[in-house]
Amino acid sequence: MPKSIILQSEQGIIHKLRNLDWAFIALIVTVASIGFTALYSAAGGSFEPWAENQMKRFLVIFFGMLVIALVDVRWWYKFSWWLYGIGFVLLVYVEIMGHVGMGAQRWINLGFMKLQPSELMKVALVLTLARYFHAATPEDMKRLSFLIMPALLIGAPVGLVMLQPDLGTALMTSFAGVAIVFVAGAPLWIFIGGAVAVAAAIPVGWHFMHDYQRQRVLTFLNPESDPLGSGYHITQSKIALGSGGLKGKGFLDGSQSHLDFLPEKQTDFIFTLWAEEWGLAGGVALLLLFGLIIWYGLWISLRARHDFGRYLAFGLTFNFSVYIFVNIAMVMGLIPVVGAPLPLVSYGGTAMLAAMIGFGLILSCNLYRDSKVTRI
Amino acid sequence: MKRSAENEKFTRRAFFVGAAQGAFLVVLGGRLAWLQIAQGSRYKTLSDENRINTKILPPTRGQIVDRFGVPLAVNNQNFRVLIIPEQAENLEKSLRALQKYIDVEESSVQTVLKQAKRSPKYVPLEIKDDLSWEEVAKVEVNLPDLPGLSTNVGEIRGYPLGEATAHLIGYVGAVNKNELTDDPLLSVPGFKIGKSAIEKTHDLAMRGKAGSSDVEVNVIGREVRELKRIDPVPGERVMLTIDGELQRFAQKRLSEQQSASAVVMNVHSGEVYALASYPAFDPNVFSRGISAALWEELLANPGFPLTNKAIAGQYPPGSTFKMITALAGLKTGKITTNRTVFCPGHYILGKGRFHCWKKGGHGYVSLADALAKSCDVYFYQMANEMGIDAISEMASQFGLGKNFGFDLSEERPGLVPTRDWKKARFNETWQPGETIVNAIGQGYFLATPLQLAVMTARLVNGGYEVKPRITGYIGDKNIAPQKWPKMKIPDEHLKLMMQGMNKVVNHERGTAYGSRVKDPPEFAYGGKTGTAQVRRITMQQRAAGVKNEDLAWRERHHALFVGYAPLDKPVYACAVVVEHGVGGALTAAPIARDLLVEVQKRNPAGTPKTVQTAPASETQTKTKKPI
């Protein structure tokens, strides 16, 4: 083993901590704090019932993130299959439990939080794909048979999530997977062909959609057609955003949110609450912070000296960005309501856990960017 | 090296994805700017519409008072007991508990329970209204045992004089669809407007202006706070020329008959002091909501309690009309003070035989005698000589046949027949015999008691064309009396009429001598009796000497009297009509006497009016408890 790598992986814990990318961590804490502020406001100026819970959770998960960040990236490389397996089993478990008579249940109740395996599965999928493509040769990438495995890795959890049924999460999961396959160097024609195939499949997919999913698409296309029915969420969210104006209505003064016109204000529509109270200025500031995190994540990905780190950091950053785009585009009425939280900001344990695990792994990639990861 | 080529590819593709992400962020920022800046004002409006609920605050209705400020229509407190379902642990239990303290009908309980299922839990539901003080006290004291209950006070229109002013003041009621205007008040549930008489005439002035309260509501409509409040402007107080006490006296006096009406007014200013019609109804019942049974009963009553007969009852004026015929005769020169006519008890014109009311006849009668004794033959003769045109023209001059444009829209015009009218109505020419019948106020002439009172006023006020007025002040604005034009009637003619009318009452041969005022002498009055035939008296009945009193009530004559007082300088005029009252001297004159004595005693014309500006709120609030 080269000397430098030994040094890096066997440095003292203090030294490692010091070497963590604290600017990146500061960005994360800033965005999370915006979340606390918004949740405090969502409760009408109270830490109960959301902000306090969220802060406690963040504190615990934050230390979890640091631990993940300090763990040698090669450890994650080694155990990625295991993690994939655990995630898959949990997914199957909720699928079976759902069938056993609890309706469309997507979570496991851990007592202190409700864990959605599909969120964890996304991280596990990125880990596994990063490992699979690690040190893959260009020749490998040209072989179609080499891409059968990733297709299965992506397809299995996506299929299960679709069965839940949760079309939004299924799509987002597959996006993250496909993105890694893309940057890993798979032939372009696969993606072009895939896009054409998806376009052709839309009518078929429509046929297999649940009624409520169809309704979501229809009301997305014309939300005002049914302002008190299923278009209500989008319409009220747009009213809240629009009425915020440039400077917003002021902290704790978002009438749409506080008078309950805005549904799910503490979870999926938290961005709306934020932009209603803080206006375009606050909204753009939050978007910029997210942009910085994404840019930072990509930069870490490009800096990594090993494929595993590159793909891992890229995949996780991409996953994070998909969440942001989907959530914010949804509350602005750009895409149908899919029920995706805004990571770090929305109230909820799983989404935060998944995002923070991702950041831990990204930080780990950064800390161990020069490690030699041997293909096993 | 292969690895670096692969790295380059990764970098390229990662950059591509990164650029796409950046672009997406720009799209999101752009969308946010579009919503918040370009569409901002539109969404701001929508947001306000969402959260702001404007409630209309109804104003207090203006009072109606008499000329002395005595209230005739007020706003009484209406105590209600309400329940707010969300504050009651158990709705039915609370209602049952309430039944222990006050009397609540089972049907009300069931209604509340039903309503509670349909409306949001924070909406108060009315259990009972019109509570007595005692009931309010019982509820208030026991509130700890009555979770969710509260009392509250609203307003209900009340009429202190009740039946006495029913026709005069009218009543209020719910707004009909065709009464809706752009006044938002009319759409307020439970809002009431004037439906008849003064309540209707001055509705707009008394209604006031709506206030508004902008309340912030949440998504389920619960009020969170009040943002802006514009207080309602209370309606204006209306002061009438009526003397409430005299009105009450008149109504009471009329109630001794089955169906009667009377008007007392000032001969110079036209101010009406009393305008009564019996039978009447209790307007307080109307403002609370009348039952179908009571309504049916009112409709079926032969005395037409829903009609203000003082202005809408049209009667043949009978002999009260004779002054008009006399004036027409004087004007045409057919009547002179020297000329007498012999009355044998009947008058023969062609084949027709026209009877005087006195079977044996009056012998030779002069103008003064003809009025005092009400000799028909005298007027038959004169009418036949002058023709209908002169009579009709004189009748019109004295206010008959037309609406005055009185403040009560229920007034009817009566009828003054002319040749043209008959042609148009029956397509027949006027017959001389008709002139004779009409000359004594029978036939086609119709007049309302108000018109008869105005006619009398014009006879005794020096010949001024006075018109009746009933509104004194609206708010503090004086509805100023007009200067009435003088009619082209020689003063000596009018003097002759007054002399004749004096004799009717105060000469021992006068028809109303029995109803003269003996004591005190300064309250003496003059007037004219009238008896209007309801049906033609058959020859057989005349031969058999059937007395009118013996006929069924419906077939008896109407009794009329017009009068004035004092004798020398008249101030007050009065008209009384007793439906089927047999004879003017018998039933109408005593009432007129009492009214004229009472009005002279009270002397409303001599009492300076005290004008009080209407207080801002005319409802005294005993307890205030917001819902």
Side-chain angles (χ1 to χ4, degrees):
Chain A
M1 265 185 202
K3 215 175 181 187
S4 66
I5 292 169
I6 296 166
L7 275 175
Q8 204 179 31
S9 53
E10 276 145 38
Q11 277 161 349
I13 192 124
I14 304 292
H15 194 254
K16 279 185 189 170
L17 268 175
R18 201 178 294 156
N19 277 353
L20 279 177
D21 199 325
W22 286 99
F24 189 66
I25 293 170
L27 275 174
I28 291 164
V29 172
T30 308
V31 172
S33 302
I34 284 179
F36 306 148
T37 313
L39 288 174
Y40 177 81
S41 173
S46 164
F47 286 106
E48 292 285 330
W50 300 308
E52 191 185 329
N53 248 343
Q54 182 88 338
M55 286 161 84
K56 283 180 185 162
R57 229 182 248 154
F58 180 76
L59 204 66
V60 172
I61 294 175
F62 181 78
F63 284 106
M65 176 190 79
L66 291 184
V67 170
I68 290 169
L70 294 176
V71 170
D72 194 319
V73 79
R74 281 167 294 194
W75 195 88
W76 296 114
Y77 179 86
K78 211 188 277 178
F79 287 99
S80 54
W81 286 106
W82 283 101
L83 294 169
Y84 186 93
I86 291 167
F88 194 79
V89 166
L90 288 177
L91 260 186
V92 172
Y93 172 77
V94 288
E95 180 60 26
I96 289 167
M97 287 308 288
H99 277 294
V100 167
M102 298 175 96
Q105 194 178 321
R106 297 168 186 176
W107 62 79
I108 295 164
N109 200 338
L110 297 180
F112 64 97
M113 65 176 273
K114 282 170 181 164
L115 186 78
Q116 287 196 45
S118 59
E119 299 293 328
L120 295 183
M121 193 58 214
K122 260 182 271 182
V123 178
L125 176 64
V126 172
L127 265 174
T128 320
L129 286 173
R131 175 180 170 155
Y132 183 80
F133 288 116
H134 174 68
T137 61
E139 286 73 32
D140 288 338
M141 296 308 294
K142 277 173 195 148
R143 271 189 292 122
L144 212 53
S145 60
F146 187 72
L147 297 176
I148 291 171
M149 190 61 186
L152 288 175
L153 285 173
I154 298 168
V158 166
L160 275 175
V161 173
M162 275 230 212
L163 281 175
Q164 280 185 350
D166 186 349
L167 186 64
T169 308
L171 278 174
M172 287 194 284
T173 308
S174 54
F175 283 160
V178 171
I180 294 175
V181 178
F182 176 70
V183 290
L188 265 180
W189 64 263
I190 291 178
F191 301 98
I192 297 164
V196 172
V198 167
I202 283 173
V204 184
W206 178 257
H207 183 73
F208 287 106
M209 269 187 192
H210 282 259
D211 271 348
Y212 80 96
Q213 290 167 328
R214 286 185 190 179
Q215 197 55 45
R216 279 179 180 179
V217 175
L218 285 177
T219 53
F220 157 68
L221 293 174
N222 186 12
E224 267 92 5
S225 68
D226 188 14
L228 292 177
S230 31
Y232 182 80
H233 291 193
I234 294 173
T235 306
Q236 292 299 337
S237 175
K238 280 160 78 179
I239 290 173
L241 285 169
S243 60
L246 183 63
K247 292 181 195 155
K249 292 179 183 167
F251 183 49
L252 301 180
D253 282 333
S255 64
Q256 283 282 107
S257 313
H258 290 137
L259 300 172
D260 298 333
F261 288 101
L262 189 65
E264 302 289 327
K265 56 179 182 274
Q266 78 280 16
T267 56
D268 290 0
F269 286 87
I270 193 85
F271 182 82
T272 306
L273 179 141
W274 175 256
E276 185 191 12
E277 293 192 345
W278 299 89
L280 184 65
V284 168
L286 186 53
L287 281 177
L288 283 176
L289 283 170
F290 280 132
L292 278 175
I293 291 176
I294 292 165
W295 176 80
Y296 222 126
L298 288 178
W299 183 71
I300 288 171
S301 158
L302 288 170
R303 259 196 348 158
R305 298 269 305 269
H306 43 86
D307 284 351
F308 178 69
R310 274 188 205 123
Y311 298 149
L312 185 59
F314 175 85
L316 292 168
T317 306
F318 186 84
N319 189 26
F320 178 73
S321 74
V322 165
Y323 262 90
I324 288 158
F325 296 150
V326 166
N327 176 274
I328 297 180
M330 167 186 81
V331 302
M332 287 180 182
L334 286 173
I335 60 165
V337 175
V338 285
L342 188 61
L344 288 180
V345 184
S346 283
Y347 181 75
T350 311
M352 176 174 280
L353 187 66
M356 295 293 275
I357 290 173
F359 291 134
L361 290 172
I362 291 172
L363 284 169
S364 178
C365 288
N366 194 40
L367 191 63
Y368 299 98
R369 60 183 175 271
D370 294 328
S371 296
K372 175 99 177 96
V373 181
T374 332
R375 199 166 180 188
I376 44 173
Chain B
M1 180 186 159
K2 270 195 280 180
R3 295 304 301 173
S4 73
E6 200 187 331
N7 276 351
E8 251 173 59
K9 195 176 191 181
F10 170 77
T11 308
R12 212 165 51 233
R13 290 194 173 184
F15 263 115
F16 175 76
V17 172
Q21 286 172 317
F24 217 104
L25 272 179
V26 170
V27 167
L28 292 182
R31 172 71 173 177
L32 192 58
W34 165 256
L35 288 174
Q36 298 197 301
I37 306 300
Q39 302 269 288
S41 60
R42 179 178 149 232
Y43 283 118
K44 180 97 191 104
T45 312
L46 286 172
S47 156
D48 283 347
E49 279 173 11
N50 257 349
R51 76 187 173 102
I52 297 172
N53 198 343
T54 300
K55 280 196 303 182
I56 293 170
L57 304 173
T60 301
R61 191 169 173 84
Q63 272 193 345
I64 302 172
V65 298
D66 83 346
R67 61 187 299 104
F68 303 114
V70 176
L72 302 179
V74 295
N75 303 304
N76 288 330
Q77 289 177 311
N78 178 20
F79 288 97
R80 299 175 291 189
V81 58
L82 310 161
I83 189 159
I84 303 173
E86 71 173 2
Q87 291 175 8
E89 291 145 33
N90 181 330
L91 192 63
E92 187 160 357
K93 213 173 128 199
S94 286
L95 291 169
R96 296 287 169 225
L98 179 68
Q99 280 180 314
K100 279 191 286 181
Y101 300 109
I102 65 168
D103 192 29
V104 179
E105 281 178 34
E106 183 57 30
S107 63
S108 310
V109 172
Q110 293 307 326
T111 308
V112 170
L113 288 175
K114 217 180 280 170
Q115 283 176 328
K117 278 181 200 150
R118 276 177 309 203
S119 55
K121 290 211 168 307
Y122 56 86
V123 172
L125 302 170
E126 184 181 304
I127 303 167
K128 193 182 180 186
D129 77 336
D130 205 17
L131 294 177
S132 68
W133 248 120
E134 205 181 324
E135 286 173 316
V136 173
K138 274 184 186 166
V139 174
E140 287 286 336
V141 166
N142 294 297
L143 278 183
D145 292 343
L146 301 166
L149 275 124
S150 60
T151 59
N152 140 294
V153 60
E155 281 184 0
I156 190 166
R157 197 71 159 167
Y159 305 96
L161 297 192
E163 293 204 0
T165 54
H167 292 124
L168 184 67
I169 305 296
Y171 53 92
V172 293
V175 184
N176 288 334
K177 246 183 206 152
N178 52 12
E179 288 168 328
L180 287 174
T181 63
D182 54 0
D183 188 341
L185 274 175
L186 300 184
S187 312
V188 175
F191 188 76
K192 289 184 174 164
I193 60 167
K195 288 290 184 175
S196 71
I198 293 295
E199 289 278 31
K200 185 182 179 185
T201 307
H202 296 309
D203 185 64
L204 279 179
M206 291 189 286
R207 191 187 292 172
K209 280 210 178 68
S212 65
S213 164
D214 289 348
V215 282
E216 191 172 69
V217 293
N218 69 3
V219 67
I220 50 168
R222 183 200 298 275
E223 290 171 17
V224 179
R225 62 184 163 145
E226 188 171 63
L227 300 171
K228 194 175 97 186
R229 185 189 182 87
I230 300 169
D231 283 319
V233 180
E236 302 216 77
R237 191 178 74 154
V238 169
M239 181 182 258
L240 301 181
T241 62
I242 294 291
D243 175 349
E245 202 45 53
L246 184 71
Q247 174 77 22
R248 198 207 314 249
F249 178 87
Q251 189 74 17
K252 191 158 173 275
R253 190 68 184 78
L254 293 181
S255 69
E256 291 163 23
Q257 300 294 334
Q258 283 199 49
S259 175
S261 53
V263 177
V264 181
M265 62 182 285
N266 186 304
V267 300
H268 302 296
S269 66
E271 288 180 315
V272 173
Y273 297 128
L275 188 93
S277 177
Y278 178 86
F281 55 91
D282 184 357
N284 292 305
V285 172
F286 275 57
S287 73
R288 293 210 154 84
I290 187 169
S291 71
L294 185 55
W295 180 249
E296 289 297 322
E297 195 186 313
L298 287 169
L299 284 179
N301 189 322
F304 297 105
L306 295 172
T307 306
N308 184 356
K309 292 188 288 278
I311 55 171
Q314 304 182 103
Y315 306 95
S319 297
T320 61
F321 187 74
K322 282 175 180 162
M323 282 78 79
I324 301 298
T325 308
L327 283 173
L330 286 164
K331 191 183 175 191
T332 54
K334 302 295 177 196
I335 293 180
T336 61
T337 44
N338 303 324
R339 190 178 170 193
T340 56
V341 168
F342 181 76
C343 168
H346 62 269
Y347 181 77
I348 293 175
L349 180 74
K351 283 184 225 158
R353 188 183 163 94
F354 299 87
H355 293 273
C356 185
W357 68 268
K358 194 169 177 191
K359 225 177 169 187
H362 289 98
Y364 286 97
V365 284
S366 65
L367 172 61
D369 291 337
L371 284 172
K373 299 172 186 169
S374 202
C375 175
D376 294 335
V377 171
Y378 179 89
F379 292 99
Y380 292 153
Q381 173 71 39
M382 297 307 174
N384 191 38
E385 289 179 24
M386 70 182 120
I388 189 66
D389 298 345
I391 299 172
S392 295
E393 197 221 306
M394 192 59 68
S396 297
Q397 274 203 59
F398 278 82
L400 305 186
K402 267 205 316 277
N403 279 337
F404 293 115
F406 194 49
D407 273 345
L408 302 180
S409 60
E410 292 85 358
E411 80 162 319
R412 300 290 303 271
L415 178 66
V416 171
T418 60
R419 293 174 195 277
D420 292 343
W421 168 82
K422 188 166 181 214
K423 188 86 189 151
R425 178 82 169 73
F426 300 108
N427 197 22
E428 281 169 19
T429 50
W430 190 268
Q431 300 300 315
E434 290 174 322
T435 307
I436 285 169
V437 175
N438 280 284
I440 61 159
Q442 297 288 161
Y444 302 123
F445 276 108
L446 290 174
T448 65
L450 179 69
Q451 286 175 326
L452 293 177
V454 170
M455 177 191 82
T456 313
R458 290 182 184 183
L459 283 169
V460 302
N461 69 1
Y464 290 93
E465 215 170 288
V466 66
K467 280 185 180 174
R469 310 190 303 111
I470 201 164
T471 309
Y473 288 82
I474 293 178
D476 43 19
K477 192 176 94 212
N478 190 358
I479 308 304
Q482 294 164 269
K483 283 282 170 215
W484 313 110
K486 197 160 161 52
M487 299 189 288
K488 284 182 188 129
I489 299 194
D491 286 347
E492 55 268 33
H493 292 183
L494 294 168
K495 202 173 260 172
L496 285 170
M497 295 306 108
M498 280 173 72
Q499 280 168 7
M501 287 159 85
N502 187 344
K503 278 183 124 176
V504 168
V505 182
N506 301 305
H507 189 275
E508 57 188 10
R509 287 285 185 73
T511 51
Y513 184 67
S515 297
R516 72 195 180 280
V517 173
K518 290 167 216 156
D519 189 55
E522 65 267 28
F523 284 174
Y525 70 99
K528 180 75 194 78
T529 54
T531 303
Q533 247 172 257
V534 171
R535 52 183 289 282
R536 201 179 162 78
I537 301 166
T538 60
M539 290 299 280
Q540 289 89 334
Q541 280 173 333
R542 199 178 291 279
V546 173
K547 281 202 174 152
N548 200 238
E549 291 96 313
D550 302 334
L551 294 171
W553 181 75
R554 274 198 163 286
E555 299 188 341
R556 292 179 198 164
H557 301 326
H558 291 319
L560 298 91
F561 192 88
V562 298
Y564 65 92
L567 279 174
D568 48 346
K569 284 193 178 117
V571 178
Y572 303 107
C574 152
V576 176
V577 174
V578 179
E579 285 192 344
H580 310 293
V582 179
L586 183 71
T587 51
I591 295 174
R593 174 199 60 206
D594 292 349
L595 290 178
L596 285 170
V597 168
E598 184 70 14
V599 73
Q600 289 183 91
K601 266 195 218 160
R602 295 188 55 78
N603 197 18
T607 319
K609 260 198 293 186
T610 46
V611 180
Q612 296 147 311
T613 43
S617 170
E618 295 180 329
T619 313
Q620 287 86 43
T621 320
K622 290 175 210 161
T623 52
K624 233 178 196 159
K625 199 158 173 99
I627 313 172

